mmCIF file with all atom_site columns, all heavy atoms in Angstrom:
data_model
loop_
_atom_site.group_PDB
_atom_site.id
_atom_site.type_symbol
_atom_site.label_atom_id
_atom_site.label_alt_id
_atom_site.label_comp_id
_atom_site.label_asym_id
_atom_site.label_entity_id
_atom_site.label_seq_id
_atom_site.pdbx_PDB_ins_code
_atom_site.Cartn_x
_atom_site.Cartn_y
_atom_site.Cartn_z
_atom_site.occupancy
_atom_site.B_iso_or_equiv
_atom_site.pdbx_formal_charge
_atom_site.auth_seq_id
_atom_site.auth_comp_id
_atom_site.auth_asym_id
_atom_site.auth_atom_id
_atom_site.pdbx_PDB_model_num
ATOM 1   N N   . ASN Z 1 101 ? 5.135  -5.511  -8.213  1.00 95.00 ? 101 ASN Z N   1
ATOM 2   C CA  . ASN Z 1 101 ? 4.013  -4.698  -8.406  1.00 95.00 ? 101 ASN Z CA  1
ATOM 3   C C   . ASN Z 1 101 ? 2.881  -5.092  -7.566  1.00 95.00 ? 101 ASN Z C   1
ATOM 4   O O   . ASN Z 1 101 ? 2.465  -6.113  -7.557  1.00 95.00 ? 101 ASN Z O   1
ATOM 5   C CB  . ASN Z 1 101 ? 3.574  -4.556  -9.794  1.00 95.00 ? 101 ASN Z CB  1
ATOM 6   C CG  . ASN Z 1 101 ? 4.770  -4.087  -10.806 1.00 95.00 ? 101 ASN Z CG  1
ATOM 7   O OD1 . ASN Z 1 101 ? 5.385  -3.108  -10.493 1.00 95.00 ? 101 ASN Z OD1 1
ATOM 8   N ND2 . ASN Z 1 101 ? 5.019  -4.867  -11.810 1.00 95.00 ? 101 ASN Z ND2 1
ATOM 9   N N   . ALA Z 1 102 ? 2.549  -4.171  -6.455  1.00 95.00 ? 102 ALA Z N   1
ATOM 10  C CA  . ALA Z 1 102 ? 1.459  -4.446  -5.686  1.00 95.00 ? 102 ALA Z CA  1
ATOM 11  C C   . ALA Z 1 102 ? 0.250  -3.652  -5.744  1.00 95.00 ? 102 ALA Z C   1
ATOM 12  O O   . ALA Z 1 102 ? 0.420  -2.453  -6.168  1.00 95.00 ? 102 ALA Z O   1
ATOM 13  C CB  . ALA Z 1 102 ? 2.007  -4.556  -4.182  1.00 95.00 ? 102 ALA Z CB  1
ATOM 14  N N   . LYS Z 1 103 ? -0.852 -4.204  -5.391  1.00 94.00 ? 103 LYS Z N   1
ATOM 15  C CA  . LYS Z 1 103 ? -2.150 -3.396  -5.507  1.00 94.00 ? 103 LYS Z CA  1
ATOM 16  C C   . LYS Z 1 103 ? -3.039 -3.780  -4.394  1.00 94.00 ? 103 LYS Z C   1
ATOM 17  O O   . LYS Z 1 103 ? -3.249 -5.055  -4.187  1.00 94.00 ? 103 LYS Z O   1
ATOM 18  C CB  . LYS Z 1 103 ? -2.866 -3.581  -6.850  1.00 94.00 ? 103 LYS Z CB  1
ATOM 19  C CG  . LYS Z 1 103 ? -4.042 -2.753  -6.984  1.00 94.00 ? 103 LYS Z CG  1
ATOM 20  C CD  . LYS Z 1 103 ? -4.588 -2.771  -8.421  1.00 94.00 ? 103 LYS Z CD  1
ATOM 21  C CE  . LYS Z 1 103 ? -5.798 -1.774  -8.428  1.00 94.00 ? 103 LYS Z CE  1
ATOM 22  N NZ  . LYS Z 1 103 ? -6.273 -1.490  -9.747  1.00 94.00 ? 103 LYS Z NZ  1
ATOM 23  N N   . VAL Z 1 104 ? -3.501 -2.815  -3.549  1.00 93.00 ? 104 VAL Z N   1
ATOM 24  C CA  . VAL Z 1 104 ? -4.330 -2.908  -2.423  1.00 93.00 ? 104 VAL Z CA  1
ATOM 25  C C   . VAL Z 1 104 ? -5.501 -1.932  -2.737  1.00 93.00 ? 104 VAL Z C   1
ATOM 26  O O   . VAL Z 1 104 ? -5.302 -0.706  -2.745  1.00 93.00 ? 104 VAL Z O   1
ATOM 27  C CB  . VAL Z 1 104 ? -3.858 -2.721  -1.108  1.00 93.00 ? 104 VAL Z CB  1
ATOM 28  C CG1 . VAL Z 1 104 ? -4.753 -2.773  0.024   1.00 93.00 ? 104 VAL Z CG1 1
ATOM 29  C CG2 . VAL Z 1 104 ? -2.703 -3.662  -0.843  1.00 93.00 ? 104 VAL Z CG2 1
ATOM 30  N N   . GLY Z 1 105 ? -6.773 -2.417  -3.047  1.00 88.00 ? 105 GLY Z N   1
ATOM 31  C CA  . GLY Z 1 105 ? -7.804 -1.494  -3.234  1.00 88.00 ? 105 GLY Z CA  1
ATOM 32  C C   . GLY Z 1 105 ? -7.480 -0.720  -4.584  1.00 88.00 ? 105 GLY Z C   1
ATOM 33  O O   . GLY Z 1 105 ? -7.135 -1.392  -5.491  1.00 88.00 ? 105 GLY Z O   1
ATOM 34  N N   . SER Z 1 106 ? -7.546 0.629   -4.445  1.00 89.00 ? 106 SER Z N   1
ATOM 35  C CA  . SER Z 1 106 ? -7.348 1.461   -5.545  1.00 89.00 ? 106 SER Z CA  1
ATOM 36  C C   . SER Z 1 106 ? -5.833 1.900   -5.599  1.00 89.00 ? 106 SER Z C   1
ATOM 37  O O   . SER Z 1 106 ? -5.386 2.545   -6.475  1.00 89.00 ? 106 SER Z O   1
ATOM 38  C CB  . SER Z 1 106 ? -8.240 2.701   -5.563  1.00 89.00 ? 106 SER Z CB  1
ATOM 39  O OG  . SER Z 1 106 ? -7.961 3.432   -4.496  1.00 89.00 ? 106 SER Z OG  1
ATOM 40  N N   . ALA Z 1 107 ? -5.084 1.520   -4.631  1.00 93.00 ? 107 ALA Z N   1
ATOM 41  C CA  . ALA Z 1 107 ? -3.671 2.012   -4.377  1.00 93.00 ? 107 ALA Z CA  1
ATOM 42  C C   . ALA Z 1 107 ? -2.697 0.940   -5.025  1.00 93.00 ? 107 ALA Z C   1
ATOM 43  O O   . ALA Z 1 107 ? -2.936 -0.166  -4.844  1.00 93.00 ? 107 ALA Z O   1
ATOM 44  C CB  . ALA Z 1 107 ? -3.237 2.278   -2.882  1.00 93.00 ? 107 ALA Z CB  1
ATOM 45  N N   . ALA Z 1 108 ? -1.855 1.359   -5.712  1.00 95.00 ? 108 ALA Z N   1
ATOM 46  C CA  . ALA Z 1 108 ? -0.731 0.566   -6.483  1.00 95.00 ? 108 ALA Z CA  1
ATOM 47  C C   . ALA Z 1 108 ? 0.642  1.159   -6.128  1.00 95.00 ? 108 ALA Z C   1
ATOM 48  O O   . ALA Z 1 108 ? 0.780  2.357   -6.135  1.00 95.00 ? 108 ALA Z O   1
ATOM 49  C CB  . ALA Z 1 108 ? -1.000 0.546   -8.050  1.00 95.00 ? 108 ALA Z CB  1
ATOM 50  N N   . ARG Z 1 109 ? 1.504  0.329   -5.797  1.00 96.00 ? 109 ARG Z N   1
ATOM 51  C CA  . ARG Z 1 109 ? 2.961  0.605   -5.563  1.00 96.00 ? 109 ARG Z CA  1
ATOM 52  C C   . ARG Z 1 109 ? 3.862  -0.371  -6.251  1.00 96.00 ? 109 ARG Z C   1
ATOM 53  O O   . ARG Z 1 109 ? 3.508  -1.515  -6.460  1.00 96.00 ? 109 ARG Z O   1
ATOM 54  C CB  . ARG Z 1 109 ? 3.255  0.594   -4.005  1.00 96.00 ? 109 ARG Z CB  1
ATOM 55  C CG  . ARG Z 1 109 ? 2.376  1.503   -3.087  1.00 96.00 ? 109 ARG Z CG  1
ATOM 56  C CD  . ARG Z 1 109 ? 2.766  3.030   -3.450  1.00 96.00 ? 109 ARG Z CD  1
ATOM 57  N NE  . ARG Z 1 109 ? 2.062  3.896   -2.577  1.00 96.00 ? 109 ARG Z NE  1
ATOM 58  C CZ  . ARG Z 1 109 ? 0.908  4.500   -2.886  1.00 96.00 ? 109 ARG Z CZ  1
ATOM 59  N NH1 . ARG Z 1 109 ? 0.215  4.085   -3.939  1.00 96.00 ? 109 ARG Z NH1 1
ATOM 60  N NH2 . ARG Z 1 109 ? 0.315  5.297   -1.947  1.00 96.00 ? 109 ARG Z NH2 1
ATOM 61  N N   . SER Z 1 110 ? 5.009  0.092   -6.456  1.00 96.00 ? 110 SER Z N   1
ATOM 62  C CA  . SER Z 1 110 ? 6.080  -0.819  -7.148  1.00 96.00 ? 110 SER Z CA  1
ATOM 63  C C   . SER Z 1 110 ? 7.388  -0.554  -6.424  1.00 96.00 ? 110 SER Z C   1
ATOM 64  O O   . SER Z 1 110 ? 7.736  0.592   -6.147  1.00 96.00 ? 110 SER Z O   1
ATOM 65  C CB  . SER Z 1 110 ? 6.169  -0.316  -8.604  1.00 96.00 ? 110 SER Z CB  1
ATOM 66  O OG  . SER Z 1 110 ? 7.111  -1.142  -9.273  1.00 96.00 ? 110 SER Z OG  1
ATOM 67  N N   . VAL Z 1 111 ? 8.126  -1.569  -6.113  1.00 96.00 ? 111 VAL Z N   1
ATOM 68  C CA  . VAL Z 1 111 ? 9.464  -1.620  -5.535  1.00 96.00 ? 111 VAL Z CA  1
ATOM 69  C C   . VAL Z 1 111 ? 10.327 -2.528  -6.386  1.00 96.00 ? 111 VAL Z C   1
ATOM 70  O O   . VAL Z 1 111 ? 9.927  -3.485  -6.883  1.00 96.00 ? 111 VAL Z O   1
ATOM 71  C CB  . VAL Z 1 111 ? 9.369  -2.172  -4.164  1.00 96.00 ? 111 VAL Z CB  1
ATOM 72  C CG1 . VAL Z 1 111 ? 10.750 -2.149  -3.522  1.00 96.00 ? 111 VAL Z CG1 1
ATOM 73  C CG2 . VAL Z 1 111 ? 8.410  -1.293  -3.319  1.00 96.00 ? 111 VAL Z CG2 1
ATOM 74  N N   . SER Z 1 112 ? 11.588 -2.105  -6.577  1.00 95.00 ? 112 SER Z N   1
ATOM 75  C CA  . SER Z 1 112 ? 12.481 -2.922  -7.400  1.00 95.00 ? 112 SER Z CA  1
ATOM 76  C C   . SER Z 1 112 ? 13.901 -2.995  -6.817  1.00 95.00 ? 112 SER Z C   1
ATOM 77  O O   . SER Z 1 112 ? 14.317 -2.075  -6.067  1.00 95.00 ? 112 SER Z O   1
ATOM 78  C CB  . SER Z 1 112 ? 12.570 -2.455  -8.786  1.00 95.00 ? 112 SER Z CB  1
ATOM 79  O OG  . SER Z 1 112 ? 13.175 -1.237  -8.889  1.00 95.00 ? 112 SER Z OG  1
ATOM 80  N N   . ALA Z 1 113 ? 14.508 -4.087  -7.083  1.00 95.00 ? 113 ALA Z N   1
ATOM 81  C CA  . ALA Z 1 113 ? 15.989 -4.077  -6.714  1.00 95.00 ? 113 ALA Z CA  1
ATOM 82  C C   . ALA Z 1 113 ? 16.763 -4.706  -7.885  1.00 95.00 ? 113 ALA Z C   1
ATOM 83  O O   . ALA Z 1 113 ? 16.331 -5.374  -8.760  1.00 95.00 ? 113 ALA Z O   1
ATOM 84  C CB  . ALA Z 1 113 ? 16.089 -5.136  -5.587  1.00 95.00 ? 113 ALA Z CB  1
ATOM 85  N N   . LEU Z 1 114 ? 18.052 -4.123  -7.939  1.00 94.00 ? 114 LEU Z N   1
ATOM 86  C CA  . LEU Z 1 114 ? 18.953 -4.476  -9.031  1.00 94.00 ? 114 LEU Z CA  1
ATOM 87  C C   . LEU Z 1 114 ? 19.866 -5.429  -8.231  1.00 94.00 ? 114 LEU Z C   1
ATOM 88  O O   . LEU Z 1 114 ? 20.545 -5.070  -7.344  1.00 94.00 ? 114 LEU Z O   1
ATOM 89  C CB  . LEU Z 1 114 ? 19.701 -3.329  -9.589  1.00 94.00 ? 114 LEU Z CB  1
ATOM 90  C CG  . LEU Z 1 114 ? 20.581 -3.527  -10.840 1.00 94.00 ? 114 LEU Z CG  1
ATOM 91  C CD1 . LEU Z 1 114 ? 19.778 -4.019  -11.863 1.00 94.00 ? 114 LEU Z CD1 1
ATOM 92  C CD2 . LEU Z 1 114 ? 21.355 -2.328  -11.174 1.00 94.00 ? 114 LEU Z CD2 1
ATOM 93  N N   . VAL Z 1 115 ? 20.069 -6.608  -8.835  1.00 92.00 ? 115 VAL Z N   1
ATOM 94  C CA  . VAL Z 1 115 ? 20.846 -7.658  -8.166  1.00 92.00 ? 115 VAL Z CA  1
ATOM 95  C C   . VAL Z 1 115 ? 21.880 -8.330  -9.162  1.00 92.00 ? 115 VAL Z C   1
ATOM 96  O O   . VAL Z 1 115 ? 21.532 -8.328  -10.385 1.00 92.00 ? 115 VAL Z O   1
ATOM 97  C CB  . VAL Z 1 115 ? 19.995 -8.637  -7.479  1.00 92.00 ? 115 VAL Z CB  1
ATOM 98  C CG1 . VAL Z 1 115 ? 19.181 -8.131  -6.288  1.00 92.00 ? 115 VAL Z CG1 1
ATOM 99  C CG2 . VAL Z 1 115 ? 19.083 -9.545  -8.437  1.00 92.00 ? 115 VAL Z CG2 1
ATOM 100 N N   . VAL Z 1 116 ? 22.963 -8.721  -8.517  1.00 89.00 ? 116 VAL Z N   1
ATOM 101 C CA  . VAL Z 1 116 ? 23.806 -9.495  -9.208  1.00 89.00 ? 116 VAL Z CA  1
ATOM 102 C C   . VAL Z 1 116 ? 23.975 -10.873 -8.628  1.00 89.00 ? 116 VAL Z C   1
ATOM 103 O O   . VAL Z 1 116 ? 24.087 -10.932 -7.440  1.00 89.00 ? 116 VAL Z O   1
ATOM 104 C CB  . VAL Z 1 116 ? 25.287 -8.913  -9.319  1.00 89.00 ? 116 VAL Z CB  1
ATOM 105 C CG1 . VAL Z 1 116 ? 26.271 -9.840  -10.017 1.00 89.00 ? 116 VAL Z CG1 1
ATOM 106 C CG2 . VAL Z 1 116 ? 25.316 -7.623  -10.090 1.00 89.00 ? 116 VAL Z CG2 1
#
Side-chain angles (χ1 to χ4, degrees):
N101 299 313
K103 185 168 183 171
V104 175
S106 61
R109 298 290 186 273
S110 182
V111 179
S112 70
L114 188 62
V115 297
V116 173

